[in-house]
Amino acid sequence: MAMMMKAAVFVEPGRIELDDKPIPDIGPNDALIRVTTTTICGTDIHILKGEYPVAKGLTVGHEPVGIIEKLGSNVQGYREGQRVIAGAICPSFTSYACQDQCCAQDGGSHSHGYKPMGGWRFGNSIDGAQAEYLRVPDAQANLSPVPDGLTDEQVLMCPDIMSTGFAGAESANIRIGDTVAVFAQGPIGLCATAGAKLRGASRIIVVDGIDERLQMARQMGADITLDFRKVDVVAEILKLTGGRGVDASIEALGLQSTFEAALRVLKPGGTLSSLGVYSTDLRIPLDAFCAGLGDHKIVTSLCPGGKERMRRLMDVIASGRVDLGPMVTHRYPLEKIVEAYDLFSHQRDGVLKVAIQAI
């Protein structure tokens, strides 16, 4: 096996470049996977822009589909050559946070065991998935075999955006018959829309300003699509609900304007489920917050990880309940990942998700 590989590396704000790096060594609890397909996430764009800090020289990316190349001596129940995915969040499942059912905030072996976003290691605290090879830590807990008959692109959404979007719907406490508003229909928001439908929402109202995304939202289960360029969406949603407000609102972008609108359309006692990655302080308007007396719940979620979460998501895909294949709008080889970043970061050509093919 060659000793070097191609990898997309963070150089400085504004620059992610393809470089040569050594193929990772693995320890007894790790696995080495040969990445066959990966993708670019909105969080990677925050890294590219310098809005989320990572170490210079880090391989970015956190959405791997691949084939097991090598297994650590302690990893049982897998075989080399097996197709697998690993979640974007790959917790140890041994820390205090993990045993407190808060795996995404895994603080590892630290004395108190909690670290904000600590379960997100790929492309954050360790080298990530936009490369020919990837070291998966705590592989026994994080590798999930891909069922026969599912393509790379069908399961490409499972490691992050499907898990995150569904978590937004799960955290929103959606009940059968609820009315739900989802703000922003990028990949995460589209998955939140699909998740809201699976949770039993009877009316799903989505908001975006891009026609292709509003059209895709209908495929994912939206009943009403609102273009914020054309209507006052807060007034329209309140009108649609007879002034009552929605049972749950999901914010999937990370802006003050969308967060505030999600709060303004929420009924007293409703849940605002926030999925956005925010890069400035948030302000909560007094009237929408009912002076703190509205029995509102504001809850944030980070993508749940682990092999059982991945298994469940792939079962949803295999059952045909949700088809996320249409969200892959563009394909690039790994050699052209810098071009793919340029397309994705500027949101050109109706892009939703880009499949990066590493072989």
Side-chain angles (χ1 to χ4, degrees), residues 166-256:
F166 279 25
E170 290 160 330
S171 297
N173 299 315
I174 294 168
R175 296 180 298 175
I176 293 170
D178 273 355
T179 296
V180 178
V182 187
F183 289 82
Q185 290 295 286
I188 296 279
L190 287 165
C191 288
T193 297
K197 182 180 180 183
L198 285 174
R199 295 279 292 187
S202 59
R203 188 160 55 154
I204 302 170
I205 306 164
V206 304
V207 178
D208 206 282
I210 299 173
D211 292 336
E212 295 92 340
R213 295 189 172 196
L214 293 171
Q215 192 175 339
M216 184 69 71
R218 289 197 173 272
Q219 286 188 49
M220 295 297 149
D223 301 292
I224 299 168
T225 57
L226 299 179
D227 185 338
F228 68 79
R229 300 168 303 177
K230 298 174 181 174
V231 296
D232 178 336
V233 293
V234 171
E236 189 65 21
I237 291 171
L238 290 174
K239 181 179 161 189
L240 286 166
T241 58
R244 172 178 177 272
V246 296
D247 298 288
S249 55
I250 302 173
E251 196 288 322
L253 187 57
L255 297 178
Q256 173 68 37

Coordinates of all heavy atoms in Angstrom, one line a residue, residues 166-256:
F166 N -33.0 15.0 11.3 CA -33.9 14.2 12.1 C -33.9 14.6 13.6 O -34.9 14.6 14.2 CB -33.6 12.7 11.9 CG -34.2 12.2 10.6 CD1 -34.4 12.9 9.5 CD2 -34.5 10.8 10.5 CE1 -34.9 12.4 8.3 CE2 -35.0 10.3 9.3 CZ -35.2 11.1 8.2
A167 N -32.7 14.9 14.1 CA -32.5 15.3 15.5 C -33.3 16.5 15.7 O -33.9 16.7 16.8 CB -31.1 15.4 15.9
G168 N -33.3 17.4 14.8 CA -34.1 18.7 14.9 C -35.5 18.4 15.1 O -36.2 19.0 15.9
A169 N -36.1 17.4 14.3 CA -37.5 17.0 14.4 C -37.7 16.3 15.8 O -38.7 16.5 16.4 CB -37.9 16.2 13.2
E170 N -36.8 15.4 16.1 CA -36.9 14.7 17.4 C -36.9 15.6 18.6 O -37.7 15.5 19.5 CB -35.8 13.6 17.5 CG -36.0 12.5 16.5 CD -34.7 11.7 16.2 OE1 -33.6 12.3 16.3 OE2 -34.8 10.5 15.9
S171 N -36.0 16.6 18.6 CA -35.9 17.5 19.7 C -37.0 18.5 19.8 O -37.3 19.1 20.8 CB -34.6 18.3 19.6 OG -33.4 17.5 19.7
A172 N -37.7 18.6 18.7 CA -38.9 19.5 18.6 C -40.1 19.0 19.3 O -41.2 19.6 19.3 CB -39.2 19.9 17.2
N173 N -40.0 17.7 19.7 CA -41.2 17.1 20.4 C -42.4 17.0 19.6 O -43.5 17.2 20.0 CB -41.5 17.8 21.7 CG -40.3 17.8 22.7 OD1 -39.7 16.7 22.9 ND2 -40.0 18.9 23.3
I174 N -42.2 16.8 18.3 CA -43.3 16.7 17.3 C -44.2 15.6 17.6 O -43.8 14.4 17.8 CB -42.8 16.7 15.9 CG1 -42.1 18.0 15.5 CG2 -44.0 16.4 14.9 CD1 -41.3 17.9 14.2
R175 N -45.5 15.8 17.7 CA -46.5 14.8 18.0 C -47.4 14.6 16.7 O -47.5 15.5 15.9 CB -47.4 15.1 19.2 CG -46.6 15.2 20.5 CD -47.4 15.5 21.7 NE -48.0 16.9 21.5 CZ -48.9 17.4 22.4 NH1 -49.3 16.7 23.4 NH2 -49.4 18.6 22.2
I176 N -48.1 13.5 16.6 CA -49.0 13.2 15.5 C -50.0 14.3 15.5 O -50.6 14.7 16.5 CB -49.6 11.9 15.7 CG1 -48.6 10.7 15.6 CG2 -50.8 11.7 14.7 CD1 -49.1 9.4 15.9
G177 N -50.2 15.0 14.3 CA -51.2 16.0 14.2 C -50.6 17.4 14.4 O -51.4 18.4 14.2
D178 N -49.3 17.6 14.7 CA -48.8 18.9 14.9 C -48.6 19.7 13.6 O -48.5 19.1 12.5 CB -47.4 18.8 15.5 CG -47.4 18.7 17.1 OD1 -48.5 18.8 17.6 OD2 -46.4 18.5 17.7
T179 N -48.6 21.0 13.8 CA -48.2 21.9 12.7 C -46.8 22.4 13.0 O -46.5 22.8 14.1 CB -49.2 23.1 12.6 OG1 -50.5 22.7 12.2 CG2 -48.7 24.1 11.6
V180 N -45.9 22.3 12.0 CA -44.5 22.5 12.2 C -44.0 23.5 11.1 O -44.4 23.4 9.9 CB -43.7 21.2 12.1 CG1 -42.2 21.5 12.2 CG2 -44.1 20.2 13.2
A181 N -43.2 24.5 11.5 CA -42.6 25.4 10.6 C -41.1 25.1 10.5 O -40.5 25.0 11.6 CB -42.8 26.8 10.9
V182 N -40.5 25.0 9.3 CA -39.1 24.8 9.2 C -38.5 25.9 8.4 O -38.9 26.2 7.3 CB -38.8 23.4 8.5 CG1 -37.3 23.1 8.5 CG2 -39.5 22.3 9.1
F183 N -37.5 26.6 9.1 CA -36.9 27.8 8.5 C -35.6 27.4 7.8 O -34.7 26.9 8.5 CB -36.7 28.9 9.5 CG -38.0 29.5 9.9 CD1 -38.8 28.9 10.9 CD2 -38.4 30.7 9.3 CE1 -40.0 29.5 11.3 CE2 -39.6 31.3 9.7 CZ -40.4 30.7 10.7
A184 N -35.5 27.6 6.5 CA -34.3 27.3 5.6 C -34.4 25.8 5.2 O -34.6 24.9 5.9 CB -33.0 27.6 6.3
Q185 N -34.3 25.7 3.8 CA -34.4 24.4 3.2 C -33.1 24.0 2.5 O -33.1 23.5 1.3 CB -35.6 24.3 2.3 CG -36.9 24.3 3.0 CD -37.1 23.1 3.9 OE1 -37.4 22.0 3.4 NE2 -37.0 23.2 5.2
G186 N -32.0 24.3 3.1 CA -30.7 23.7 2.7 C -30.8 22.2 3.1 O -31.8 21.7 3.5
P187 N -29.7 21.5 2.9 CA -29.7 20.1 3.2 C -30.2 19.7 4.6 O -31.0 18.8 4.7 CB -28.2 19.7 3.0 CG -27.7 20.6 2.0 CD -28.4 21.9 2.3
I188 N -29.7 20.4 5.6 CA -30.2 20.1 7.0 C -31.7 20.4 7.1 O -32.4 19.6 7.7 CB -29.4 21.0 8.0 CG1 -27.9 20.6 8.0 CG2 -30.0 20.8 9.4 CD1 -27.5 19.4 8.8
G189 N -32.1 21.5 6.6 CA -33.6 21.9 6.7 C -34.4 20.9 6.0 O -35.5 20.5 6.4
L190 N -34.0 20.4 4.8 CA -34.7 19.4 4.0 C -34.9 18.1 4.8 O -35.9 17.5 4.8 CB -34.1 19.2 2.7 CG -34.2 20.3 1.7 CD1 -33.3 20.1 0.5 CD2 -35.7 20.4 1.1
C191 N -33.8 17.7 5.5 CA -33.9 16.5 6.3 C -34.8 16.7 7.5 O -35.5 15.8 8.0 CB -32.5 16.1 6.7 SG -31.5 15.4 5.4
A192 N -34.8 17.9 8.1 CA -35.7 18.2 9.2 C -37.1 18.2 8.7 O -38.0 17.7 9.5 CB -35.4 19.6 9.8
T193 N -37.4 18.6 7.5 CA -38.7 18.5 6.9 C -39.1 17.0 6.8 O -40.3 16.6 7.2 CB -38.8 19.2 5.6 OG1 -38.5 20.6 5.8 CG2 -40.1 19.1 4.9
A194 N -38.2 16.2 6.3 CA -38.5 14.8 6.1 C -38.7 14.2 7.5 O -39.6 13.3 7.7 CB -37.4 14.1 5.4
G195 N -37.9 14.6 8.5 CA -38.1 14.1 9.8 C -39.4 14.4 10.5 O -40.0 13.6 11.2
A196 N -39.8 15.7 10.2 CA -41.1 16.1 10.8 C -42.3 15.3 10.2 O -43.2 15.0 11.0 CB -41.3 17.6 10.5
K197 N -42.2 15.0 8.9 CA -43.2 14.1 8.4 C -43.2 12.7 9.0 O -44.3 12.2 9.4 CB -43.0 14.0 6.9 CG -44.1 13.2 6.2 CD -43.9 13.1 4.7 CE -45.0 12.3 4.0 NZ -44.8 12.1 2.6
L198 N -42.0 12.1 9.2 CA -41.9 10.8 9.8 C -42.4 10.8 11.2 O -42.9 9.8 11.7 CB -40.5 10.3 9.8 CG -39.9 9.9 8.4 CD1 -38.4 9.5 8.6 CD2 -40.6 8.6 8.0
R199 N -42.3 12.0 11.9 CA -42.7 12.1 13.3 C -44.2 12.3 13.4 O -44.8 12.2 14.5 CB -42.0 13.3 14.0 CG -40.5 13.1 14.1 CD -40.1 12.3 15.3 NE -40.4 12.9 16.6 CZ -40.1 12.4 17.8 NH1 -39.4 11.3 17.9 NH2 -40.4 13.1 18.9
G200 N -44.9 12.5 12.3 CA -46.4 12.5 12.3 C -47.0 13.9 12.2 O -48.2 14.1 12.5
A201 N -46.2 14.9 11.9 CA -46.7 16.3 11.7 C -47.8 16.2 10.6 O -47.5 15.6 9.5 CB -45.6 17.3 11.3
S202 N -48.9 16.9 10.8 CA -50.0 16.9 9.8 C -49.9 18.0 8.8 O -50.5 18.0 7.7 CB -51.3 16.8 10.4 OG -51.5 18.0 11.3
R203 N -49.2 19.1 9.2 CA -49.0 20.2 8.4 C -47.6 20.8 8.6 O -47.2 21.2 9.7 CB -50.0 21.3 8.6 CG -50.0 22.4 7.6 CD -51.3 23.2 7.6 NE -51.7 23.8 8.8 CZ -52.4 24.9 9.0 NH1 -52.8 25.6 7.9 NH2 -52.7 25.3 10.2
I204 N -46.8 20.8 7.5 CA -45.4 21.2 7.5 C -45.3 22.5 6.6 O -45.6 22.4 5.4 CB -44.4 20.1 7.1 CG1 -44.6 18.9 8.0 CG2 -43.0 20.7 7.2 CD1 -43.8 17.7 7.5
I205 N -44.9 23.6 7.2 CA -44.7 24.8 6.5 C -43.2 25.1 6.4 O -42.6 25.1 7.5 CB -45.4 26.0 7.2 CG1 -46.9 25.7 7.5 CG2 -45.3 27.3 6.5 CD1 -47.6 26.6 8.5
V206 N -42.7 25.3 5.2 CA -41.3 25.6 5.1 C -41.0 26.9 4.5 O -41.9 27.5 3.7 CB -40.6 24.5 4.3 CG1 -40.8 23.1 4.9 CG2 -41.0 24.5 2.8
V207 N -39.9 27.5 4.8 CA -39.5 28.8 4.4 C -38.1 28.8 3.8 O -37.2 28.2 4.3 CB -39.5 29.8 5.6 CG1 -39.0 31.2 5.1 CG2 -40.8 29.9 6.3
D208 N -38.0 29.4 2.6 CA -36.7 29.5 1.9 C -36.9 30.6 0.9 O -38.0 31.1 0.7 CB -36.2 28.2 1.3 CG -34.7 28.2 1.2 OD1 -34.1 28.8 0.3 OD2 -34.0 27.6 2.0
G209 N -35.8 31.0 0.2 CA -35.9 32.0 -0.9 C -35.3 31.5 -2.2 O -35.1 32.3 -3.1
I210 N -35.1 30.2 -2.3 CA -34.6 29.6 -3.5 C -35.6 28.6 -4.1 O -36.0 27.6 -3.4 CB -33.2 28.9 -3.3 CG1 -32.2 29.9 -2.8 CG2 -32.7 28.2 -4.5 CD1 -30.9 29.3 -2.3
D211 N -36.1 28.8 -5.3 CA -37.2 28.0 -5.9 C -36.9 26.5 -5.9 O -37.8 25.7 -5.5 CB -37.5 28.5 -7.3 CG -38.0 29.9 -7.3 OD1 -38.6 30.3 -6.3 OD2 -37.9 30.6 -8.4
E212 N -35.6 26.2 -6.2 CA -35.3 24.7 -6.3 C -35.4 24.1 -5.0 O -35.8 22.9 -4.9 CB -33.9 24.5 -6.9 CG -33.7 25.0 -8.3 CD -33.2 26.4 -8.5 OE1 -33.4 27.2 -7.5 OE2 -32.7 26.7 -9.5
R213 N -35.1 24.8 -3.9 CA -35.1 24.2 -2.6 C -36.6 24.1 -2.1 O -36.9 23.1 -1.4 CB -34.3 25.1 -1.6 CG -32.8 25.0 -2.0 CD -31.9 25.6 -1.0 NE -30.5 25.4 -1.3 CZ -29.5 25.5 -0.5 NH1 -29.7 26.0 0.7 NH2 -28.3 25.2 -1.0
L214 N -37.4 25.1 -2.4 CA -38.8 25.0 -2.1 C -39.5 23.8 -2.8 O -40.3 23.1 -2.2 CB -39.5 26.3 -2.4 CG -39.1 27.5 -1.5 CD1 -39.7 28.8 -2.1 CD2 -39.5 27.3 0.0
Q215 N -39.1 23.6 -4.0 CA -39.6 22.4 -4.8 C -39.1 21.1 -4.2 O -39.9 20.2 -4.0 CB -39.1 22.6 -6.2 CG -39.7 21.6 -7.2 CD -39.3 21.9 -8.7 OE1 -38.8 23.0 -9.0 NE2 -39.4 20.9 -9.5
M216 N -37.8 21.1 -3.8 CA -37.3 19.8 -3.2 C -38.0 19.6 -1.8 O -38.3 18.4 -1.4 CB -35.8 20.0 -3.0 CG -35.1 18.7 -2.4 SD -35.1 17.3 -3.5 CE -33.9 17.9 -4.7
A217 N -38.4 20.7 -1.1 CA -39.0 20.5 0.2 C -40.4 19.8 0.0 O -40.7 19.0 0.9 CB -39.2 21.9 0.8
R218 N -41.0 20.0 -1.1 CA -42.3 19.3 -1.3 C -42.0 17.8 -1.4 O -42.8 17.0 -1.0 CB -43.0 19.9 -2.5 CG -43.6 21.3 -2.3 CD -44.7 21.6 -3.3 NE -45.3 22.9 -2.9 CZ -46.4 23.0 -2.2 NH1 -46.9 21.9 -1.6 NH2 -46.9 24.2 -1.9
Q219 N -40.9 17.5 -2.1 CA -40.6 16.0 -2.2 C -40.3 15.4 -0.9 O -40.5 14.2 -0.6 CB -39.3 15.9 -3.1 CG -39.6 16.1 -4.6 CD -38.3 15.7 -5.4 OE1 -37.8 14.6 -5.2 NE2 -37.9 16.6 -6.3
M220 N -39.8 16.2 0.1 CA -39.4 15.8 1.4 C -40.6 15.8 2.4 O -40.4 15.3 3.5 CB -38.3 16.6 2.0 CG -37.0 16.5 1.2 SD -36.3 14.8 1.2 CE -35.5 14.8 -0.4
G221 N -41.7 16.3 2.0 CA -42.9 16.2 2.8 C -43.6 17.6 3.2 O -44.5 17.6 4.0
A222 N -43.1 18.7 2.7 CA -43.7 20.0 3.0 C -45.0 20.1 2.4 O -45.3 19.7 1.2 CB -42.8 21.1 2.5
D223 N -46.0 20.7 3.1 CA -47.3 20.9 2.6 C -47.5 22.3 2.1 O -48.2 22.5 1.1 CB -48.3 20.7 3.8 CG -48.3 19.3 4.4 OD1 -48.6 18.3 3.6 OD2 -47.8 19.1 5.5
I224 N -46.8 23.3 2.7 CA -46.9 24.7 2.3 C -45.5 25.2 2.2 O -44.7 25.0 3.1 CB -47.7 25.5 3.3 CG1 -49.2 24.9 3.4 CG2 -47.7 27.0 3.0 CD1 -49.9 25.5 4.6
T225 N -45.2 25.9 1.1 CA -43.9 26.5 0.9 C -44.0 28.0 0.8 O -44.9 28.5 0.1 CB -43.2 25.9 -0.4 OG1 -44.0 26.2 -1.5 CG2 -42.9 24.4 -0.3
L226 N -43.2 28.7 1.6 CA -43.2 30.1 1.6 C -41.9 30.7 1.2 O -40.8 30.3 1.7 CB -43.6 30.6 3.0 CG -44.9 30.2 3.6 CD1 -45.1 30.8 5.1 CD2 -46.1 30.7 2.8
D227 N -41.9 31.7 0.3 CA -40.7 32.3 -0.2 C -40.6 33.7 0.5 O -41.4 34.6 0.4 CB -40.9 32.6 -1.7 CG -39.6 33.2 -2.3 OD1 -38.8 33.8 -1.6 OD2 -39.5 33.0 -3.6
F228 N -39.6 33.8 1.4 CA -39.4 35.0 2.2 C -39.2 36.2 1.4 O -39.3 37.3 1.9 CB -38.4 34.8 3.3 CG -37.0 34.7 2.7 CD1 -36.3 35.8 2.3 CD2 -36.3 33.5 2.7 CE1 -35.0 35.8 1.9 CE2 -35.0 33.4 2.2 CZ -34.3 34.5 1.8
R229 N -38.9 36.0 0.1 CA -38.7 37.2 -0.8 C -40.0 37.8 -1.2 O -40.1 39.0 -1.6 CB -37.9 36.8 -2.1 CG -36.5 36.2 -1.8 CD -36.0 35.6 -3.1 NE -36.9 34.6 -3.6 CZ -36.6 33.9 -4.8 NH1 -35.6 34.2 -5.5 NH2 -37.5 33.0 -5.2
K230 N -41.1 37.0 -1.0 CA -42.4 37.5 -1.6 C -43.4 37.7 -0.5 O -44.4 38.4 -0.8 CB -42.9 36.4 -2.6 CG -42.0 36.2 -3.8 CD -42.4 35.0 -4.7 CE -41.5 34.8 -5.8 NZ -41.8 33.6 -6.6
V231 N -43.3 37.1 0.7 CA -44.3 37.3 1.7 C -43.6 37.6 3.0 O -42.5 37.2 3.3 CB -45.2 36.0 1.8 CG1 -46.0 35.8 0.6 CG2 -44.4 34.8 2.2
D232 N -44.4 38.2 3.9 CA -44.0 38.3 5.3 C -44.3 37.0 6.0 O -45.4 36.7 6.3 CB -44.8 39.5 6.0 CG -44.4 39.6 7.5 OD1 -44.0 38.7 8.1 OD2 -44.6 40.8 8.0
V233 N -43.2 36.2 6.2 CA -43.5 34.8 6.5 C -44.1 34.7 7.9 O -44.9 33.8 8.2 CB -42.2 33.9 6.4 CG1 -41.8 33.8 4.9 CG2 -41.1 34.4 7.2
V234 N -43.7 35.5 8.9 CA -44.2 35.5 10.2 C -45.7 35.8 10.2 O -46.5 35.0 10.7 CB -43.5 36.5 11.2 CG1 -44.3 36.6 12.5 CG2 -42.1 36.0 11.4
A235 N -46.1 36.8 9.5 CA -47.5 37.2 9.4 C -48.3 36.0 8.6 O -49.4 35.7 9.0 CB -47.7 38.5 8.6
E236 N -47.7 35.5 7.6 CA -48.4 34.4 6.8 C -48.6 33.1 7.7 O -49.6 32.5 7.6 CB -47.6 34.1 5.6 CG -48.2 33.2 4.6 CD -49.5 33.8 4.0 OE1 -49.6 35.0 4.0 OE2 -50.3 33.0 3.4
I237 N -47.6 32.8 8.5 CA -47.7 31.5 9.3 C -48.7 31.8 10.4 O -49.5 30.9 10.7 CB -46.3 31.1 9.8 CG1 -45.4 30.6 8.7 CG2 -46.4 30.0 10.9 CD1 -43.9 30.4 9.1
L238 N -48.7 32.9 11.0 CA -49.7 33.2 12.0 C -51.1 33.2 11.4 O -52.1 32.7 12.0 CB -49.4 34.5 12.7 CG -48.2 34.5 13.6 CD1 -47.9 35.9 14.1 CD2 -48.3 33.6 14.8
K239 N -51.2 33.7 10.2 CA -52.5 33.7 9.5 C -52.9 32.2 9.2 O -54.1 31.8 9.4 CB -52.4 34.4 8.2 CG -53.7 34.5 7.3 CD -53.4 35.4 6.1 CE -54.4 35.1 5.0 NZ -54.1 35.7 3.7
L240 N -52.0 31.4 8.7 CA -52.3 30.0 8.4 C -52.7 29.2 9.6 O -53.4 28.2 9.5 CB -51.0 29.3 7.8 CG -50.7 29.7 6.3 CD1 -49.3 29.3 5.9 CD2 -51.7 29.1 5.4
T241 N -52.2 29.6 10.8 CA -52.6 28.9 12.0 C -53.7 29.6 12.8 O -53.9 29.3 14.0 CB -51.3 28.7 12.9 OG1 -50.8 30.0 13.2 CG2 -50.3 27.9 12.2
G242 N -54.4 30.5 12.2 CA -55.5 31.2 12.9 C -55.0 32.1 14.1 O -55.8 32.3 15.0
G243 N -53.7 32.5 14.0 CA -53.2 33.3 15.1 C -52.6 32.5 16.3 O -52.0 33.1 17.2
R244 N -52.8 31.2 16.2 CA -52.3 30.3 17.3 C -50.8 30.2 17.3 O -50.2 30.1 18.4 CB -53.0 29.0 17.1 CG -52.6 27.9 18.1 CD -53.4 26.6 17.8 NE -53.0 25.5 18.6 CZ -52.1 24.6 18.2 NH1 -51.4 24.8 17.1 NH2 -51.8 23.6 19.0
G245 N -50.2 30.1 16.2 CA -48.8 29.7 16.1 C -48.6 28.2 15.9 O -49.5 27.4 16.0
V246 N -47.4 27.9 15.5 CA -47.1 26.5 15.2 C -46.8 25.7 16.5 O -46.3 26.3 17.5 CB -45.9 26.3 14.2 CG1 -46.3 26.9 12.9 CG2 -44.7 27.0 14.7
D247 N -46.9 24.4 16.5 CA -46.6 23.6 17.7 C -45.1 23.5 17.9 O -44.6 23.5 19.0 CB -47.2 22.2 17.5 CG -48.7 22.2 17.4 OD1 -49.3 22.4 18.4 OD2 -49.2 22.0 16.3
A248 N -44.4 23.5 16.8 CA -42.9 23.4 16.8 C -42.3 24.2 15.6 O -42.9 24.2 14.5 CB -42.4 22.0 16.8
S249 N -41.2 24.9 15.8 CA -40.5 25.5 14.7 C -39.1 25.0 14.8 O -38.5 24.8 15.9 CB -40.6 27.0 14.8 OG -40.1 27.5 16.0
I250 N -38.5 24.8 13.6 CA -37.1 24.3 13.5 C -36.3 25.3 12.7 O -36.7 25.7 11.6 CB -37.1 22.9 12.7 CG1 -38.0 21.9 13.5 CG2 -35.7 22.4 12.6 CD1 -38.1 20.6 12.8
E251 N -35.2 25.8 13.3 CA -34.4 26.8 12.7 C -33.1 26.0 12.1 O -32.4 25.4 12.9 CB -34.0 27.8 13.7 CG -33.4 29.1 13.1 CD -32.0 28.9 12.5 OE1 -31.2 28.2 13.1 OE2 -31.7 29.5 11.5
A252 N -32.9 26.1 10.8 CA -31.9 25.3 10.2 C -30.9 26.1 9.4 O -30.3 25.6 8.4 CB -32.5 24.2 9.3
L253 N -30.6 27.3 9.8 CA -29.7 28.2 9.1 C -28.6 28.8 10.0 O -27.4 28.8 9.7 CB -30.4 29.2 8.3 CG -29.6 30.1 7.4 CD1 -28.8 29.2 6.4 CD2 -30.4 31.1 6.7
G254 N -29.0 29.4 11.1 CA -28.0 30.0 12.0 C -27.9 31.5 11.9 O -26.9 32.1 12.1
L255 N -29.0 32.2 11.6 CA -29.0 33.6 11.5 C -30.0 34.2 12.5 O -31.0 33.6 12.9 CB -29.5 34.1 10.1 CG -28.6 33.7 8.9 CD1 -29.3 34.2 7.6 CD2 -27.2 34.3 9.1
Q256 N -29.7 35.4 12.9 CA -30.6 36.1 13.9 C -32.0 36.2 13.3 O -33.0 35.9 14.0 CB -30.1 37.6 14.1 CG -31.1 38.5 14.9 CD -31.2 38.0 16.4 OE1 -30.3 37.6 17.0 NE2 -32.4 38.1 16.9

